[in-house]
Amino acid sequence: MITRSSVPLQRPGREPRPLPIQARWQTQLARAIRDPRELCRRLGLDEAWWPGAERGHALFEVRVPEAYLARIRPGDPADPLLRQVLPLAEEAVPMAGYVADPLAEAEHAPAPGLIHKYAGRVLLIASPACAVNCRYCFRRHFPYEENAPSRAQWETTLDHLRCDATIHEAILSGGDPLAASDRQLAWLVERLAAIPHLKRLRIHTRLPVVIPERIDDALLGWLTTTHLQKVMVLHINHANEIDEAVIAACRKLSAAGVTLLNQSVLLRGVNDSIGALAALSERLFEAGILPYYLHVLDPVAGAAHFDVADDEARELVAGLREVLPGFLMPRLVREIPGEASKTPL
Ligand SMILES: *Cc1c(COP(=O)(O)O)cnc(C)c1O
Ligand code: SF4
């Protein structure tokens, strides 16, 4: 696992040359930008952005890999990809109703690394790390250290699945589950596949988008050989996130028999227009991905500036329906703590 302390922050003026974006995914992950000033400098944002970036960074650290940075327009503070990763001073402003654990997940964790709050399916926190730190993330305050099980603990967690025949689907979540090593993932998936009542393996990940080189032969090896049905729910919020390398990665996943779906979060200044949402759906389909969910923002502390009001969200989706075929329409939903499924708006 890559911890903050194992990767020293780059000192100003001593930046390494940018990595070639085809570097191994592990190298890209380890060398991701983790210094708010470096992020601003690399994108040609002037010093006025530094204090805000540093305040936000102190609350939730910056993390942006090169391959993602390459899709951001330099010198444009309104770039929809930059807005997702650049910390702002607004994050430090407390807002009524915005809390650390908006989904009350801490109440549904019966074993290390396990969240069981939906019928028939369980979430396994397969990796505490992410490839990118998204400013709006509802898990920005998640106690990952308490949810990074050892293999012995995983066996206990797996016993919970083995003993409950109502569970048909295991959802690898995180952090980002694909930030874990293929050795670890192959080990886990092999154990899951041995549970007779388990039918499906679902992976919720942003890694194939953030670092498309993650979809390599080692990953395709364990993914192709398991008998479980495979669904991958990607997390893409804007059409500009899908470049040719992402499309190539998605082709490999499709060829490995993985059903590809996407969930987005409706974000002020990122995708809060009919044009942006329509372009996203169209581009997703070009990559072989079907739109699944469009979430309204979870009220997590530090993310209030991304909020789009419910009425505006409904209007946007109504407008979207006028320009898209039905199969490219995401479902507009909210996650309400304690509910057994997402709630349509
Ligand atoms: C909502 C959600 C799920 C499960 O929801 P489905 O309605 O079964 O798709 C799993 N993981 C995450 C991160 C979710 O947000
Ligand atoms: S869990 Fe997903 S949304 Fe949150 S920081 Fe990680 S990649 Fe981004």
Side-chain angles (χ1 to χ4, degrees):
M1 194 187 80
I2 295 148
T3 60
R4 190 173 174 177
S5 54
S6 68
V7 183
L9 294 179
Q10 301 299 337
R11 261 177 283 140
R14 305 209 40 209
E15 286 160 24
R17 257 189 294 148
L19 282 177
I21 59 172
Q22 309 82 352
R24 290 174 73 232
W25 70 269
Q26 294 92 339
T27 313
Q28 293 198 49
L29 198 54
R31 299 265 296 271
I33 293 175
R34 307 166 75 114
D35 175 343
R37 290 192 190 190
E38 187 188 347
L39 178 63
C40 293
R41 273 198 303 273
R42 290 286 307 279
L43 290 167
L45 298 179
D46 64 40
E47 294 183 13
W49 293 90
W50 291 7
E54 287 188 333
R55 277 183 84 184
H57 172 75
L59 298 169
F60 181 47
E61 71 174 38
V62 161
R63 185 181 302 217
V64 187
E66 290 292 337
Y68 195 79
L69 188 85
R71 285 166 253 167
I72 300 176
R73 272 188 308 267
D76 179 4
D79 181 275
L81 276 58
L82 179 66
R83 297 256 315 156
Q84 298 179 50
V85 296
L86 176 69
L88 299 176
E90 285 98 311
E91 292 180 27
V93 180
M95 281 287 284
Y98 285 77
V99 297
D101 179 14
L103 305 187
E105 286 190 321
E107 293 165 19
H108 301 275
L114 181 72
I115 297 174
H116 193 178
K117 59 178 179 178
Y118 305 113
R121 49 220 197 278
V122 290
L123 260 74
L124 302 174
I125 306 292
S127 161
C130 286
V132 65
N133 281 347
C134 313
R135 309 316 301 175
Y136 55 84
C137 180
F138 74 93
R139 294 208 178 117
R140 50 183 284 164
H141 307 284
F142 191 78
Y144 283 120
E145 314 72 47
E146 298 160 25
N147 282 273
S150 64
R151 283 197 176 178
Q153 284 174 318
W154 268 124
E155 288 294 355
T156 313
T157 299
L158 289 165
D159 280 340
H160 185 96
L161 276 72
R162 291 177 182 120
C163 296
D164 186 344
T166 68
I167 299 171
H168 300 303
E169 181 172 321
I171 304 174
L172 303 189
S173 186
D176 195 311
L178 294 188
S181 71
D182 289 306
R183 234 179 83 212
Q184 176 66 10
L185 290 166
W187 179 87
L188 185 59
V189 168
E190 196 184 322
R191 266 146 197 81
L192 290 171
I195 301 174
H197 49 267
L198 211 64
K199 295 181 193 156
R200 286 187 300 276
L201 175 69
R202 192 193 322 181
I203 303 175
H204 275 245
T205 177
R206 197 149 157 67
L207 246 158
V209 185
V210 178
I211 306 176
E213 288 70 24
R214 177 64 186 94
I215 309 306
D216 60 6
D217 291 343
L219 177 138
L220 293 167
W222 59 262
L223 202 55
T224 309
T225 46
T226 184
H227 73 85
L228 295 167
Q229 283 196 295
K230 295 151 296 207
V231 180
M232 193 176 277
V233 180
L234 297 163
H235 178 170
I236 306 174
N237 301 313
H238 194 277
N240 291 3
E241 289 177 68
I242 305 174
D243 64 5
E244 289 308 313
V246 172
I247 290 185
C250 290
R251 291 236 166 84
K252 289 183 197 167
L253 290 166
S254 300
V258 182
T259 298
L260 296 175
L261 304 174
N262 183 63
Q263 60 175 356
S264 312
V265 181
L266 183 58
L267 298 167
R268 177 71 70 208
V270 175
N271 56 13
D272 56 334
S273 71
I274 295 171
L277 292 170
L280 172 60
S281 274
E282 295 278 356
R283 188 69 177 150
L284 285 169
F285 195 67
E286 283 168 21
I289 310 165
L290 284 173
Y292 179 36
Y293 281 139
L294 176 62
H295 289 260
V296 292
L297 185 75
D298 296 311
V300 65
H305 56 289
F306 285 115
D307 190 50
V308 176
D310 284 2
D311 281 347
E312 188 180 342
R314 286 192 197 93
E315 257 173 54
L316 283 170
V317 169
L320 197 59
R321 196 167 281 117
E322 288 174 17
V323 296
L324 286 179
F327 66 92
L328 291 186
M329 283 298 296
R331 305 160 176 76
L332 180 67
V333 293
R334 158 170 290 124
E335 177 102 17
I336 299 174
E339 296 291 313
S341 71
K342 315 267 180 209
T343 306
L345 249 73

